[in-house]
């Protein structure tokens, strides 16, 4: 039985995240999508809201569950019995930081596997989605429709 962990802030989930989770679910028996509860960082959506959106977006995927964690992702993986962290790599700009985290997480006992982001989604990030919606721009097709609706609801 192989189990992977896809950790992230998911504030909110984008189609880029979902592509990585979907592909991970084909490679591993089980996938736990883990929302970081970062007490030092102000998020637009609460952890519960982020988990709800992830649950709705991954409901069709067998073997995928959604959870949250505080502290080290490696500790969460060990508690969950996840052998590997799966992350998407969008561009070279991601590489340095992701490599650093992967090497530190390996030192703490958990491997990382990178999936190359789908070309259509390499420019996506949650922060860009938030900014474009806040400024009245169109992000149709870049996040699930119910995420777009919730983003619009959050805007003043
Ligand atoms: O979506 P993000 O914000 O790019 O995800 C980053 C995340 C949550 C994967 C990373 O910040 C993380 O794993 N944080 C947990 C704390 C931790 O384990 N830090 C040491 C990493 S080497």
């Amino acid at each position: 039985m192989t189990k992977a962990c896809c950790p992230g802030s998911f504030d909110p989930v984008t189609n880029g995240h979902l592509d990585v989770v979907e592909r991970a679910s084909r490679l591993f028996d089980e996938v736990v999508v883990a929302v970081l509860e970062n007490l030092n960082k102000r998020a637009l959506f609460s952890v519960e809201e982020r988990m709800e959106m992830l649950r709705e977006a991954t409901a069709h995927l067998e073997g995928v569950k959604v959870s949250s964690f505080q502290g080290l992702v490696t500790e969460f993986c060990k508690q969950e019995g996840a052998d590997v962290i799966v992350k998407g790599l969008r561009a070279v700009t991601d590489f340095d930081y992701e490599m650093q985290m992967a090497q530190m997480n390996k030192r703490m006992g958990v491997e990382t596997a990178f999936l190359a982001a789908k070309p259509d989604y390499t420019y996506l990030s949650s922060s860009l989605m938030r900014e474009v919606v806040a400024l009245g721009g169109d992000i149709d097709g870049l996040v699930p429709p119910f995420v777009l609706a919730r983003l619009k609801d959050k805007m003043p």
Side-chain angles (χ1 to χ4, degrees):
M1 177 74 83
T2 55
K3 187 168 180 176
C5 172
C6 293
S9 303
F10 303 110
D11 187 34
V13 63
T14 69
N15 285 349
H17 293 130
L18 292 172
D19 177 54
V20 170
V21 173
E22 192 165 339
R23 285 157 66 199
S25 78
R26 279 188 245 126
L27 295 168
F28 298 91
D29 300 315
E30 288 180 53
V31 174
V32 55
V33 183
V35 179
L36 174 66
E37 202 170 347
N38 188 345
L39 304 174
N40 300 317
K41 196 171 151 189
R42 240 182 93 91
L44 180 64
F45 291 98
S46 70
V47 170
E48 278 310 317
E49 289 174 317
R50 287 180 263 161
M51 288 171 67
E52 268 169 32
M53 287 185 273
L54 277 162
R55 285 203 180 102
E56 188 164 346
T58 60
H60 63 293
L61 297 174
E62 211 174 305
V64 175
K65 73 168 189 176
V66 177
S67 189
S68 67
F69 73 105
Q70 291 180 0
L72 288 174
V73 68
T74 48
E75 287 307 309
F76 176 79
C77 288
K78 287 171 196 173
Q79 279 161 27
E80 282 287 323
D83 324 288
V84 60
I85 293 166
V86 173
K87 302 285 305 277
L89 269 188
R90 291 168 298 188
V92 280
T93 42
D94 281 347
F95 186 78
D96 281 350
Y97 184 50
E98 291 295 343
M99 185 69 157
Q100 233 181 349
M101 286 199 289
Q103 287 170 335
M104 184 56 84
N105 287 333
K106 165 74 180 149
R107 189 175 185 272
M108 294 190 280
V110 182
E111 292 283 3
T112 298
F114 292 115
L115 295 182
K118 191 171 166 179
D120 300 0
Y121 299 144
T122 48
Y123 63 98
L124 297 195
S125 70
S126 298
S127 56
L128 197 60
M129 299 299 96
R130 295 194 303 266
E131 184 179 334
V132 173
V133 171
L135 298 173
D138 174 24
I139 58 161
D140 204 25
L142 304 180
V143 297
F146 58 88
V147 171
L148 179 54
R150 289 176 81 143
L151 261 170
K152 285 181 176 167
D153 282 351
K154 286 274 180 192
M155 298 305 157

